[in-house]
Amino acid sequence: MKAAIYEKAGKMTVAEIEKPSLQAKDDVIIKVVRACVCGSDLWGYGEDIHHDHGDTNSGHEAIGIVEEVGEDITTLVPGDFVIVPFTHGCGHCDACRAGFDGTCDNHPGYTNWGNNYQSQYIRFHYGNWALVKIPGQPSDYSEGMIKSLLTLADVMPTGYHATRVADVKPGDKVVVIGDGAVGQCAVIAAKMRGASQIIMMSRHADRQQMALESGATAVVAERGEEGIAKVREILGGGADAALECVGTEASIDQALGVLHNGGRIGFVGVPHYNNHALGSTFAQNIIIDGGSASVTTYDKEILLDAVLKGDINPGRVFTQTYSLDNIDQAYKDMANRKTIKAMITVD
Amino acid sequence: MKAAIYEKAGKMTVAEIEKPSLQAKDDVIIKVVRACVCGSDLWGYGEDIHHDHGDTNSGHEAIGIVEEVGEDITTLVPGDFVIVPFTHGCGHCDACRAGFDGTCDNHPGYTNWGNNYQSQYIRFHYGNWALVKIPGQPSDYSEGMIKSLLTLADVMPTGYHATRVADVKPGDKVVVIGDGAVGQCAVIAAKMRGASQIIMMSRHADRQQMALESGATAVVAERGEEGIAKVREILGGGADAALECVGTEASIDQALGVLHNGGRIGFVGVPHYNNHALGSTFAQNIIIDGGSASVTTYDKEILLDAVLKGDINPGRVFTQTYSLDNIDQAYKDMANRKTIKAMITVD
């Protein structure tokens, strides 16, 4: 089969590799319909840190058709159309029952366990509860709907996770930090949960515009102290919740700065820092909460339904589409911010 | 008037100083009935860091009688019996309205603003909303009830705060880290909120016993990895909430260790560390939330009523009583763990 592999620093390519096969009783083999590139896929792209195919850095978001199921799989049959999350919740441990399947107690970590979603086939581990069935077949849906369904593998549940852990409630004043695909989805999620004001912090006109179309009530281009002052001016005080969708210490500081005391940070930007001054959250009574999204829980409970009804349109984050053969261009364009999120068609 | 002052490292004494007077329009002068010693009062006790009377380190918990009120005070009149919190919420900012008056946006910080509660009189700043009226007069209450009322100035609301920010719900499995007065009150609060299992981590028989009398369902004397394993054995897995009532990095680590993924830390131990590895909370999807307690909110909404009805008996944390003249012995006995919490009678 064809699969995207890391060739060298700054260069993805497509190679012919062995098609995966069932190995465990709860494995599922999935034929990929669409995959995409995540901001986190870019972390090692420009650096010479990945050498062998399949280690990491080659996608963890897809939708596809079930090709084959292990003998313990009771929830799916070949031919089913599914969302392929980046998470692998078991569905019955304490973490999953608390709605935190992104950090399942039985399947810790949230990687694709050495599998590459930017390829023709995926071996999905622990498939019984985690995979989410989509009604019908791909041909039943418009391209716009296909895009929104694809967001349900990661970015839309991750944006939703930020609002859930920050406990965004009707009437809340919310600030979104990060204007990438996850930040855009966080705007959608904040609106779903009834936020009365949603400020997107963004310096890019196209991303500002997208956020406004998704429900943001204002955009703030300034950063640092100036950005904090601007947010406070618009809100007439501090925000109730800050959704941190970047993962840097600067963005955590931005989040701490825009909140009133007793405010809440939901952080879903994978931390690019080792430590943060927890003492400062104590002094402000700030809730700080984050981690890997509960993809399966949110998809099953709320997001798939909202997408299928047309209530939300997260698919707009896919501003460009590329064939699998053109994977390197997809990475390049995302790295250069020419596309917000790159969708990959797989034949 | 008489007031406890810091004499030198390891030595408190009582001196005659000027009685405080009204200075701001929302000041209240209170005649102290009972004060007490907080664990945090001990931090500078053994060290030569406090030189002048009244800087800090001389109490922030009391009950007393209103002696005089500033012209903006509408809520109290001379003669009223009141809880004197360590917090000074305004009652109408975003933080107070969100129930975080311990970190009021208008009166940041949570000190006694240079006033000494271990004395005959207190000047209480911003008194209109923050002071909590107790029905009747001190003579209407038993000594046991007086003790419980005194806990409402700090330790009982602080223990309650841990359970509130950790969102302790009916049926939750809860671990309390810290067997001092706040930890003991956290046990009471966890029971109030319906926790099904409450494990107190304590190595002292008297404190273990007190926790069991207040609603703990088990005690664990082990610490570190051994303690974590013991808790997990008792609970058959991780806890839903950990209440960190110490303030050291080790106790935060203990809290992180006993939780299942997606668990919740309420931390009210004033941090004795500058940083903590927030990254590790991300990997576990741990909620981490803490800060200064909402004394006024909790007292008015739930705790005063629970004490007066006899539903809870937090006053049992006062294992010894001392006269103000004997203040140094109170500090010494707390520092040497001879008493869990020292009550101070003031004539």
Side-chain angles (χ1 to χ4, degrees):
Chain A
M1 71 167 186
K2 288 199 290 186
I5 63 166
Y6 176 82
E7 191 176 311
K8 61 179 184 180
K11 180 71 178 170
M12 296 295 295
T13 192
V14 173
E16 192 70 30
I17 63 163
E18 195 179 353
K19 183 183 162 186
S21 58
L22 294 174
Q23 291 174 41
K25 291 180 178 175
D26 56 354
D27 277 352
V28 176
I29 305 297
I30 295 152
K31 185 176 193 310
V32 176
V33 171
R34 293 286 190 287
C36 53
V37 183
C38 178
S40 68
D41 293 336
L42 301 175
W43 293 344
Y45 174 63
E47 296 162 31
D48 208 7
I49 55 172
H50 298 290
H51 303 286
D52 301 318
H53 161 69
D55 278 357
T56 58
N57 200 36
S58 36
H60 51 263
E61 304 157 273
I63 50 176
I65 301 293
V66 172
E67 173 104 350
E68 211 179 340
V69 299
E71 61 185 90
D72 282 356
I73 299 294
T74 59
T75 55
L76 295 164
V77 294
D80 281 345
F81 184 27
V82 290
I83 299 161
V84 192
F86 73 102
T87 56
H88 298 259
C90 70
H92 59 259
C93 68
D94 284 333
C96 284
R97 283 190 294 119
F100 287 96
D101 42 294
T103 43
C104 170
D105 284 331
N106 288 321
H107 309 146
Y110 41 88
T111 71
N112 43 4
W113 272 286
N115 281 289
N116 181 347
Y117 288 22
Q118 292 162 1
S119 63
Q120 288 182 296
Y121 294 92
I122 298 167
R123 173 184 163 221
F124 190 88
H125 308 242
Y126 315 120
N128 211 37
W129 184 81
L131 289 162
V132 180
K133 195 172 162 178
I134 303 168
Q137 289 294 308
S139 57
D140 299 330
Y141 296 102
S142 71
E143 189 63 15
M145 182 59 80
I146 288 286
K147 285 179 180 173
S148 282
L149 293 170
L150 179 57
T151 66
L152 300 183
D154 180 346
V155 288
M156 187 61 223
T158 297
Y160 190 85
H161 194 57
T163 64
R164 179 255 180 127
V165 296
D167 194 22
V168 172
K169 293 187 287 284
D172 273 354
K173 294 172 281 183
V174 176
V175 177
V176 178
I177 296 154
D179 61 4
V182 172
Q184 299 289 343
C185 289
V187 170
I188 293 172
K191 190 182 175 190
M192 290 177 80
R193 294 174 68 102
S196 62
Q197 292 187 68
I198 303 169
I199 298 180
M200 166 59 92
M201 302 197 80
S202 169
R203 297 187 291 191
H204 303 91
D206 56 334
R207 294 166 188 238
Q208 291 178 342
Q209 187 56 36
M210 184 179 286
L212 291 167
E213 286 168 12
S214 294
T217 53
V219 291
V220 166
E222 292 83 354
R223 294 197 177 182
E225 288 305 317
E226 211 182 335
I228 291 168
K230 186 80 181 177
V231 166
R232 289 182 169 271
E233 185 193 320
I234 293 170
L235 298 180
D240 301 302
L243 310 179
E244 192 282 305
C245 307
V246 181
T248 63
E249 197 155 352
S251 58
I252 289 278
D253 286 338
Q254 196 84 94
L256 284 167
V258 297
L259 294 172
H260 61 67
N261 287 347
R264 310 178 299 273
I265 295 178
F267 72 117
V268 292
V270 180
H272 275 59
Y273 45 86
N274 288 322
N275 291 286
H276 198 273
L278 203 56
S280 71
T281 69
F282 188 90
Q284 292 177 263
N285 243 311
I286 298 290
I287 295 175
I288 183 149
D289 186 8
S292 187
S294 317
V295 178
T296 304
T297 293
Y298 303 151
D299 284 354
K300 288 182 178 174
E301 287 184 0
I302 183 164
L303 296 177
L304 177 57
D305 191 51
V307 161
L308 292 176
K309 283 183 177 160
D311 292 341
I312 62 174
N313 178 24
R316 58 163 59 109
V317 300
F318 292 111
T319 49
Q320 300 275 358
T321 302
Y322 305 80
S323 71
L324 181 57
D325 290 332
N326 208 15
I327 187 78
D328 188 58
Q329 195 61 45
Y331 273 67
K332 276 199 171 51
D333 287 353
M334 276 189 64
N336 297 328
R337 291 183 165 263
K338 283 190 185 165
T339 182
I340 294 179
K341 193 168 177 71
M343 183 160 77
I344 309 297
T345 56
V346 183
D347 303 315
Chain B
M1 69 167 188
K2 288 199 290 186
I5 64 166
Y6 176 83
E7 190 176 309
K8 60 179 184 180
K11 180 71 179 170
M12 296 296 294
T13 190
V14 173
E16 193 69 32
I17 63 165
E18 195 180 351
K19 182 183 161 186
S21 59
L22 293 174
Q23 291 173 43
K25 292 179 178 176
D26 55 355
D27 277 352
V28 177
I29 305 296
I30 296 151
K31 185 176 192 310
V32 176
V33 171
R34 293 284 191 287
C36 52
V37 182
C38 178
S40 68
D41 293 336
L42 300 175
W43 295 343
Y45 175 62
E47 297 162 30
D48 206 7
I49 57 172
H50 298 288
H51 304 286
D52 302 318
H53 162 68
D55 278 355
T56 57
N57 200 33
S58 37
H60 51 262
E61 304 157 274
I63 50 177
I65 301 293
V66 172
E67 172 102 350
E68 210 180 340
V69 298
E71 61 185 270
D72 284 355
I73 299 293
T74 59
T75 54
L76 295 163
V77 293
D80 282 344
F81 184 27
V82 290
I83 298 160
V84 193
F86 73 102
T87 57
H88 297 259
C90 71
H92 59 260
C93 68
D94 284 334
C96 284
R97 284 191 292 120
F100 287 95
D101 43 293
T103 43
C104 170
D105 284 331
N106 288 321
H107 308 146
Y110 40 87
T111 70
N112 43 4
W113 273 285
N115 281 288
N116 182 346
Y117 287 22
Q118 292 162 0
S119 63
Q120 288 183 296
Y121 294 90
I122 298 167
R123 173 184 163 222
F124 190 87
H125 308 241
Y126 316 121
N128 212 37
W129 185 80
L131 289 162
V132 181
K133 196 172 160 175
I134 303 167
Q137 291 293 311
S139 57
D140 298 330
Y141 298 102
S142 70
E143 189 63 15
M145 182 59 79
I146 287 286
K147 286 179 179 173
S148 283
L149 292 170
L150 179 57
T151 67
L152 299 183
D154 181 346
V155 289
M156 186 62 222
T158 296
Y160 190 85
H161 194 57
T163 64
R164 178 256 180 127
V165 297
D167 194 23
V168 172
K169 293 187 287 285
D172 273 354
K173 294 172 281 184
V174 175
V175 177
V176 178
I177 297 155
D179 61 4
V182 172
Q184 299 289 343
C185 289
V187 169
I188 294 172
K191 188 181 177 192
M192 289 177 81
R193 295 174 68 102
S196 64
Q197 293 187 66
I198 304 170
I199 298 180
M200 166 59 93
M201 302 196 79
S202 170
R203 297 186 290 192
H204 303 90
D206 56 335
R207 294 167 189 238
Q208 291 177 343
Q209 187 57 36
M210 183 179 288
L212 290 167
E213 284 168 12
S214 293
T217 53
V219 292
V220 167
E222 292 83 354
R223 293 198 177 181
E225 289 304 318
E226 211 182 337
I228 291 168
K230 186 81 182 179
V231 167
R232 289 182 170 271
E233 184 192 321
I234 293 170
L235 298 180
D240 301 303
L243 310 178
E244 192 281 304
C245 307
V246 181
T248 63
E249 198 155 350
S251 57
I252 289 278
D253 286 337
Q254 196 84 94
L256 284 167
V258 297
L259 295 172
H260 62 66
N261 286 347
R264 309 178 301 273
I265 296 178
F267 71 116
V268 292
V270 180
H272 276 58
Y273 46 85
N274 288 321
N275 293 286
H276 198 273
L278 203 55
S280 70
T281 69
F282 188 90
Q284 293 176 263
N285 244 310
I286 298 291
I287 295 175
I288 181 147
D289 187 7
S292 188
S294 316
V295 178
T296 304
T297 293
Y298 304 151
D299 283 354
K300 289 182 178 173
E301 288 184 0
I302 182 163
L303 295 178
L304 178 56
D305 191 51
V307 161
L308 292 177
K309 282 182 178 158
D311 292 340
I312 61 175
N313 179 24
R316 59 163 59 108
V317 299
F318 291 111
T319 48
Q320 300 275 358
T321 301
Y322 305 79
S323 71
L324 181 57
D325 289 332
N326 207 15
I327 187 78
D328 188 57
Q329 194 62 46
Y331 273 66
K332 275 199 172 50
D333 287 354
M334 275 190 65
N336 297 328
R337 293 181 163 263
K338 283 191 186 165
T339 180
I340 293 179
K341 193 167 177 72
M343 183 159 77
I344 308 296
T345 56
V346 183
D347 304 314

